[in-house]
Structure formats: structure tokens, C-alpha cells
Amino acid sequence: MALFPIFILILIAPSSTNAQWPPSPGYWPSSRFRSMSFYQGYRNLWGYSHQRVEQNALTIWLDRTSGSGFKSVKPFRSGYFAASIKLQPGYTAGVITAFYLSNNEAHPGFHDEVDIEFLGTTFGKPYTLQTNVYIRGSGDGRIIGREMKFHLWFDPTKNFHHYAILWSPKEIIFLVDDVPIRRYPRKSAATFPLRPMWVYGSIWDASSWATEEGKYKADYRYQPFVASYTNFKAAGCSAYSPAWCRPVSASPFRSGGLSGQQYRTMRWVQRYHMVYNYCEDNKRDHSLTPECWG
């Protein structure tokens, strides 16, 4: 008889799996864009000796001597930019693996950037995926970050997963395996990147801030720190496209935005997997981020 109440409790207890894996977004934008090999769209930027291309997959690594980075062959003014990435397990504190848009070489000290960054971690703790947007503000002592951070619903070291940035003149959408995790709408020209940007990827030592605000540093006893990229996608309006080039969309609607189902999925991810939102940080000066309250 004692088993009966236990059975009832199991039936009525909420399932923890509902808070682990996101509901279907109902739309898969990655299927709309053709994959390319690394050399079709990218070139090495730095750390050439720490980069290897095999069977359309790029491997880059960091050790005591260098990290590595790559860059798209052309700049874009809008588009869908993605890669499937696999991260290194174990101790990776202080190490940043990144996939991002930037015009830092065209506008040094005054550039725009849209980031997907994986913040390295210590044993037994998950990676943090950091998304960030900043506009005309690096190298001048007034970097205004717009960070939202997530702990993913899977282990990004086990398999490749697809990470994407959709950038149009009216919004930026970050996606993981076609699941939208963040939408950053254009509310003013002052808070939105509009100048052409290139696509970059890199692995580097950011021990001063990457892991728990710099508490844990890169430990080169665990070198090399390796990241693999494949299934590259970069489609949209390049900086050289005609004025009539139409921005691509991450939703079923050509006009952009997200469908109702995509919005619900994004809100679910933010409810269960977001660990930091700059707009909710009371230590921040939100007069510098008017999009939080505008």
C-alpha cells in the first residue's frame, strides 16, 4: 500500500525535462542557406600555424605561443552568418572561442560588433554562451556592452551544434540549432550597428575577464585548447551588393521578425537558460542603454 502514494506523487510531480529542452520553434532558417567550405568564404587572419582545415572542417587552437583567428573574404551590410562549432571539454577557464561580426579593422577604436562567445569554464561547470552587441565603442574607455548570457540545454563539447547571427537593418537575432535565443531590435541609429561588417572566428586568452570575472585563468598545463568549425554559412547583402538587395529573414515572413511560435520558444529559453541580462543588472548605468527602457 505504501507504493500507491509514491506512484501518485510521480504522476502529479512536474517533469524536470520540460525545463531542459526547448519547444520546437516551428521554423528552421538554416535550411534556407547553402553551406560553404572554409576557403569559399574565409581566410586565415592570424595564428596560421594554429589552424588546420580538413574535409571542410576548420580546427583552431590556443597554446602558450598563440591563438588563431579567421575572417570572411568580404564585408556584409546584412545577412545570415553561421557555423557548426564543437568545443573542448575539461578545464578551459580564461579561453574564449568566438564567432562574430565586426568592423574593427575598418574603424579601429570606434567599431561595431555582434558577438557569439563561448566563455571557458572549470571542471564540472557548463560553458557560458555570451551574446553581445556594441556600437561605435571600443578602445576609448567607454565600451558599452549589451550582454545576455546563457547556459545551453546540451553539452557543446559532445557534438557540433549550429550557431547563427541574423543581422538586418531592423534587428539582430541569435540562434542555436535554429532556436532563437535573443532578438535585439533596432530602436535608434545610436543603439544599432549599421556600418558594413566582416565575419570572424577566433580562439584566444581572455583570462582577465572570461571566467567568473577573471577569477579563473587559462592554465596551459591543459593546452592545446581546441575548437572546431564546420558547415559555414554566410548569405545576404554584401557591402558591394546593389541597393535593392533585400535583407534575409530568420522567420517565415520575408519582412523579418519572429513567428509567434519562435517568440514562445525564445521566451522559454530566456526563462530557463538565461543566466545574465544586462538590462536587469542594477549595477549598470542604463542611461547608456536606452533600449532597455525605451
Side-chain angles (χ1 to χ4, degrees):
M1 293 298 293
L3 293 177
F4 182 73
I6 296 173
F7 179 70
I8 294 297
L9 286 173
I10 292 172
L11 287 178
I12 65 174
S15 171
S16 62
T17 59
N18 291 336
Q20 293 177 359
W21 204 266
S24 170
Y27 186 75
W28 293 267
S30 66
S31 65
R32 298 181 55 217
F33 305 105
R34 182 179 301 177
S35 298
M36 65 175 71
S37 69
F38 175 74
Y39 288 117
Q40 283 180 301
Y42 296 90
R43 296 292 184 272
N44 172 264
L45 181 62
W46 60 282
Y48 184 80
S49 64
H50 289 59
Q51 185 173 120
R52 180 178 67 249
V53 178
E54 295 178 337
Q55 297 179 342
N56 292 331
L58 170 74
T59 301
I60 57 177
W61 60 92
L62 166 72
D63 60 24
R64 289 183 187 274
T65 64
S66 179
S68 187
F70 59 91
K71 178 184 176 182
S72 63
V73 296
K74 59 185 177 182
F76 293 83
R77 63 174 188 263
S78 67
Y80 175 90
F81 312 101
S84 295
I85 303 172
K86 184 178 180 183
L87 304 176
Q88 176 163 313
Y91 188 98
T92 55
V95 179
I96 295 287
T97 302
F99 184 76
Y100 62 104
L101 312 178
S102 179
N103 49 33
N104 63 312
E105 293 177 276
H107 306 285
F110 200 59
H111 74 276
D112 311 304
E113 193 163 308
V114 180
D115 296 327
I116 291 176
E117 296 173 308
F118 299 95
L119 311 185
T121 188
T122 57
F123 293 114
K125 294 184 179 180
Y127 270 90
T128 298
L129 186 154
Q130 173 171 279
T131 64
N132 200 0
V133 178
Y134 57 90
I135 299 93
R136 300 173 183 267
S138 178
D140 58 4
R142 287 181 59 83
I143 297 174
I144 302 170
R146 294 168 170 85
E147 304 92 342
M148 287 179 66
K149 302 178 184 180
F150 301 83
H151 286 164
L152 295 166
W153 51 94
F154 54 83
D155 183 346
T157 72
K158 297 291 187 183
N159 296 293
F160 282 94
H161 290 270
H162 204 60
Y163 305 92
I165 299 168
L166 185 289
W167 171 45
S168 79
K170 70 176 189 178
E171 64 188 353
I172 298 166
I173 299 172
F174 298 86
L175 304 106
V176 177
D177 290 338
D178 286 319
V179 172
I181 63 170
R182 178 183 182 182
R183 179 176 180 265
Y184 181 86
R186 176 181 175 180
K187 295 189 175 180
S188 74
T191 61
F192 197 86
L194 294 169
R195 298 177 294 180
M197 292 189 280
W198 285 258
V199 191
Y200 292 83
S202 62
I203 188 167
W204 55 289
D205 186 332
S207 289
S208 63
W209 64 270
T211 306
E212 299 187 30
E213 309 299 329
K215 178 180 180 180
Y216 297 99
K217 315 294 185 183
D219 187 338
Y220 287 98
R221 292 178 299 173
Y222 302 106
Q223 70 175 21
F225 302 102
V226 179
S228 298
Y229 297 70
T230 190
N231 194 20
F232 293 95
K233 299 189 177 190
C237 299
S238 79
Y240 317 119
S241 298
W244 48 259
C245 181
R246 189 185 185 103
V248 298
S249 171
S251 78
F253 315 122
R254 292 191 64 185
S255 58
L258 294 172
S259 69
Q261 189 169 348
Q262 287 177 307
Y263 262 116
R264 287 189 292 273
T265 301
M266 181 178 71
R267 296 305 181 202
W268 187 97
V269 170
Q270 292 178 358
R271 177 181 178 184
Y272 290 110
H273 292 277
M274 185 171 66
V275 296
Y276 177 82
N277 181 351
Y278 75 105
C279 284
E280 298 173 356
D281 187 343
N282 294 327
K283 297 178 182 178
R284 299 284 297 266
D285 180 358
H286 290 298
S287 68
L288 301 175
T289 55
E291 69 279 0
C292 288
W293 43 265

